[in-house]
């Protein structure tokens, strides 16, 4: 059902070598996380591999896909160029590849901003992107350990990291990201 080999050729022709390798690293991480958390490993690999499919097309093409998508997109997302590729990518998968699985579409759509009530696959792609083998930010090893120890805590930590990063850069914080942070904070407080 998820023909990754066919899409690898497409990605290789569409992405820079660095982005292509990142996509495969994310796919590998998503497969491992899926095995750990009882999700379909091939579906997770497929979603992870395609998460950045529109990352390197022009801003104009990305925004045109965002506008055409019909997805609910908040003002903060529309005003932040670096977020467009996720929305555009989700719509591209639907439009060009005929992907109808809402879980895959949402996993790509929300891999940058997150949202409250993410499905397990969405969480896996969000974290897979954050902890893939090519990532080397300061606390990446801590994040990797946490992702395999406690998914909810890893998601909270990921949103804390994301919010701090956006604020530090003086960026706009999408409403869905703030809602996701609150969502995972409540879950973690209830668990402990």
């Amino acid at each position: 059902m998820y023909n990754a080999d066919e899409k690898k050729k497409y990605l290789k022709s569409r992405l820079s070598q660095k982005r292509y390798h990142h996509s495969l690293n994310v796919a590998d991480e998503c497969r491992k996380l899926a095995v750990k958390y009882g999700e379909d490993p091939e579906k997770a690999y497929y979603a992870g591999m395609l998460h950045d499919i529109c990352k390197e097309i022009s801003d104009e093409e990305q925004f045109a896909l965002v506008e055409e998508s019909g997805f609910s997109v908040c003002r903060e997302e529309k005003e932040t160029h670096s977020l467009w590729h996720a929305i555009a990518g989700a719509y591209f998968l639907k439009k060009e590849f005929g992907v109808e699985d809402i879980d895959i579409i949402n996993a790509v759509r929300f891999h940058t901003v997150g949202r409250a009530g993410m499905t397990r696959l969405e969480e896996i792609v969000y974290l897979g992107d954050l902890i893939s083998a090519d990532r080397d930010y300061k606390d990446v090893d801590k994040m990797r350990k946490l992702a395999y120890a406690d998914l909810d805590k890893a998601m909270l930590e990921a949103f804390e990291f994301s919010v701090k990063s956006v604020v530090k850069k003086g960026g706009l914080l999408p409403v869905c990201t703030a809602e996701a942070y609150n969502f995972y904070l409540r879950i973690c407080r209830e668990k402990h």
Side-chain angles (χ1 to χ4, degrees), residues 95-109:
K95 181 183 171 188
E96 299 299 325
F97 291 172
V99 173
E100 293 180 9
D101 187 325
I102 193 66
D103 212 11
I104 291 174
I105 291 167
N106 281 338
V108 173
R109 161 69 178 93

Side-chain angles (χ1 to χ4, degrees), residues 8-19:
K8 276 181 193 170
K9 290 176 190 147
Y10 183 86
L11 279 182
K12 197 167 192 168
S13 70
R14 188 176 171 99
L15 299 176
S16 66
Q17 192 172 355
K18 183 180 179 187
R19 181 68 45 197

Side-chain angles (χ1 to χ4, degrees), residues 105-118:
I105 291 167
N106 281 338
V108 173
R109 161 69 178 93
F110 292 103
H111 85 267
T112 53
V113 294
R115 67 184 181 124
M118 293 172 88

Side-chain angles (χ1 to χ4, degrees), residues 71-132:
F71 296 153
S72 176
V73 180
C74 71
R75 180 178 173 185
E76 293 77 15
E77 287 178 294
K78 284 188 178 178
E79 293 176 10
T80 308
H81 296 208
S82 62
L83 302 179
W84 296 349
H85 76 280
I87 304 154
Y91 181 60
F92 182 89
L93 292 182
K94 191 175 178 180
K95 181 183 171 188
E96 299 299 325
F97 291 172
V99 173
E100 293 180 9
D101 187 325
I102 193 66
D103 212 11
I104 291 174
I105 291 167
N106 281 338
V108 173
R109 161 69 178 93
F110 292 103
H111 85 267
T112 53
V113 294
R115 67 184 181 124
M118 293 172 88
T119 65
R120 186 59 45 92
L121 181 68
E122 289 174 63
E123 293 171 337
I124 285 169
V125 174
Y126 189 89
L127 286 175
D129 187 25
L130 196 62
I131 65 169
S132 66

Side-chain angles (χ1 to χ4, degrees), residues 30-48:
C30 289
R31 180 186 279 146
K32 290 181 213 164
L33 285 164
V35 168
K36 166 77 178 164
Y37 293 109
E39 281 295 310
D40 180 339
E42 295 319 304
K43 182 174 173 176
Y45 184 91
Y46 188 82

